[in-house]
Amino acid sequence: MVTKHYNIPIFLPEMACPFRCVYCNQQAITGVSKLPDERSIINEIEMHLSTIDYLNSYVEIAFFGGNFTGIPEPVQKQFLSIAETYIIAGKIKGIRISTRPDFINDKNLSFIRQHGVKVIELGVQSMDDGVLRQSERAYNSETVIRAAKQIKEHGFLLGMQMMTGLPGDSPEKSIKTAKSIIELGAQETRIYPLLVIKNTKLEKLYNEGLYKSQTLEEAVILAKNLFNLFNKSGVRVLKMGLHPSKELTQHDAVIDGPFHSSFAELVYTEIWKEKFSDIFPQKDKVLQIILNKNDYNHAIGYKGINKKQLKSLFKNVLFDTNDSISKHEFQWHLI
């Protein structure tokens, strides 16, 4: 039986980050403008635990959205101590954090390791030095390589987040970034297409005609290719696209870019559409597709588009599930 994995997200603002990347407006993305206090963190954890079968699941508390290792050490200890009480109580299994590659060193890695952190997600964004420079990330690819090596040496599980469509970026550069993430030993990744968010330097560049966003179609196809590359290499893709929070959807925060409330579903639709493309149409036959139940919704496609397309090529199409079939795989028969 596969254990379900849950993250309880605690969002931190950019207060611990001394830099302002061209695209960054964390408050518009997360709705968080100041560090949470102890009571609000506990309330958030308790609220999530009330909806989770935590005794039969793998649950982590995840400090996201900020530069965790850039927070003063006493504040880090305060946050981690709260999470540790839930580890001791047997309600969660560990802690994960997100942080910047240029705020990784042996001292802070030893410190957070001692306080229950098991996973570190680096906000890498790109491994192209020109893209990093134009995005004003304030570090280069060598910094990322050094940080990834230190994280692995200290025994953490390594995640590396990337963005597509950054200033100076291209699909080819994004593919190279993905290959670097794989080579550096990351076990997890997240893929975020860049959006133009209000009150950022990127908005100014966009308004001046100095930056052009990816189209939704371009972003989906690129994410599909990146997903396939990661999946083939055994790197787990945790997320594709920003969460459609009310800050993004209700407050006109997105000026331009490939935002869609079901971005990941669009990507999975393209992935399965490609998988089905080798099945030769036969109008007088019924097509039976058998796959893992976890792939069912992705396979039929966003709003059933893949199933509808296949039904136009066959007498009928049947989707059946069988858990003996591995995820992302399928069998097909003609009846």
Side-chain angles (χ1 to χ4, degrees):
M1 180 179 175
V2 177
T3 302
K4 288 190 175 181
H5 190 135
Y6 295 96
N7 283 336
I8 298 176
I10 306 297
F11 288 103
L12 308 177
E14 60 199 24
M15 292 169 67
C17 183
F19 309 106
R20 185 70 176 263
C21 305
V22 295
Y23 53 79
C24 192
N25 183 342
Q26 282 284 63
Q27 183 175 356
I29 294 172
T30 67
V32 178
S33 60
K34 62 180 181 179
L35 289 173
D37 59 25
E38 182 174 344
R39 175 45 51 190
S40 63
I41 292 174
I42 291 172
N43 288 344
E44 189 72 16
I45 294 170
E46 292 291 343
M47 186 272 289
H48 279 85
L49 286 176
S50 69
T51 67
I52 296 172
D53 178 14
Y54 55 81
L55 294 177
N56 297 302
S57 305
Y58 191 94
V59 183
E60 293 177 318
I61 291 174
F63 292 100
F64 283 154
N67 178 30
F68 191 88
T69 51
I71 298 171
E73 192 172 287
V75 182
Q76 290 185 47
K77 185 174 182 179
Q78 178 190 12
F79 289 168
L80 295 176
S81 295
I82 296 168
E84 281 184 289
T85 62
Y86 289 90
I87 296 177
I88 295 168
K91 294 183 177 182
I92 70 163
K93 299 296 193 294
I95 305 165
R96 70 168 56 213
I97 65 165
S98 65
T99 196
R100 287 173 57 100
D102 49 344
F103 280 76
I104 291 293
N105 57 56
D106 289 328
K107 180 178 180 292
N108 60 31
L109 288 175
S110 296
F111 174 77
I112 62 175
R113 182 74 175 172
Q114 292 168 8
H115 289 86
V117 176
K118 293 185 176 181
V119 185
I120 297 177
E121 295 191 33
L122 285 182
V124 173
Q125 319 316 8
S126 176
M127 289 296 286
D128 183 274
D129 286 339
V131 172
L132 290 172
R133 186 167 52 253
Q134 290 188 58
S135 302
E136 300 185 9
R137 287 293 288 171
Y139 59 79
N140 59 24
S141 58
E142 284 300 317
T143 304
V144 178
I145 293 168
R146 183 169 59 251
K149 182 179 178 181
Q150 287 178 292
I151 288 167
K152 298 282 285 185
E153 286 174 346
H154 280 260
F156 294 95
L157 187 151
L158 173 63
M160 299 179 79
Q161 304 168 3
M162 67 174 292
M163 300 183 77
T164 65
L166 288 161
D169 205 359
S170 67
E172 293 75 23
K173 291 177 182 178
S174 288
I175 293 293
K176 287 183 179 180
T177 289
K179 289 180 178 179
S180 294
I181 287 172
I182 294 165
E183 291 167 2
L184 288 170
Q187 293 158 273
E188 300 175 344
T189 190
R190 298 175 192 264
I191 303 168
Y192 295 117
L194 180 61
L195 305 177
V196 181
I197 305 295
K198 67 180 179 181
N199 300 326
T200 61
K201 186 172 180 179
L202 189 65
E203 180 189 11
K204 183 173 183 292
L205 294 173
Y206 171 80
N207 290 334
E208 293 173 353
L210 299 176
Y211 173 78
K212 183 180 179 182
S213 299
Q214 300 172 96
T215 66
L216 181 59
E217 181 180 7
E218 289 169 342
V220 167
I221 295 301
L222 178 54
K224 177 201 73 171
N225 294 333
L226 292 169
F227 179 94
N228 287 336
L229 182 60
F230 284 127
N231 186 56
K232 183 179 179 181
S233 301
V235 179
R236 185 178 172 213
V237 179
L238 300 178
K239 189 175 182 61
M240 294 184 284
L242 285 176
H243 178 72
S245 65
K246 66 179 182 180
E247 285 74 27
L248 285 179
T249 58
Q250 297 178 14
H251 300 295
D252 300 320
V254 179
I255 304 300
D256 194 42
F259 178 74
H260 193 284
S261 59
S262 301
F263 182 85
E265 193 63 34
L266 295 179
V267 178
Y268 286 121
T269 296
E270 287 296 323
I271 289 168
W272 282 94
K273 179 181 177 182
E274 186 174 76
K275 288 177 182 291
F276 296 147
S277 64
D278 290 335
I279 304 176
F280 186 77
Q282 295 190 50
K283 283 278 194 178
D284 61 335
K285 299 288 186 179
V286 174
L287 174 65
Q288 181 188 32
I289 292 174
I290 308 171
L291 37 65
N292 189 287
K293 67 180 180 182
N294 293 309
D295 288 322
Y296 180 83
N297 289 332
H298 294 156
I300 64 173
Y302 178 67
K303 295 186 176 180
I305 189 171
N306 285 343
K307 186 173 183 178
K308 291 174 185 175
Q309 184 176 26
L310 287 170
K311 288 183 78 169
S312 71
L313 303 174
F314 294 88
K315 184 177 180 180
N316 198 6
V317 178
L318 305 174
F319 279 81
D320 296 316
T321 61
N322 186 324
D323 288 347
S324 67
I325 297 177
S326 300
K327 281 194 70 176
H328 311 304
E329 302 292 336
F330 76 102
Q331 298 174 1
W332 64 275
H333 307 281
L334 294 177
I335 303 172

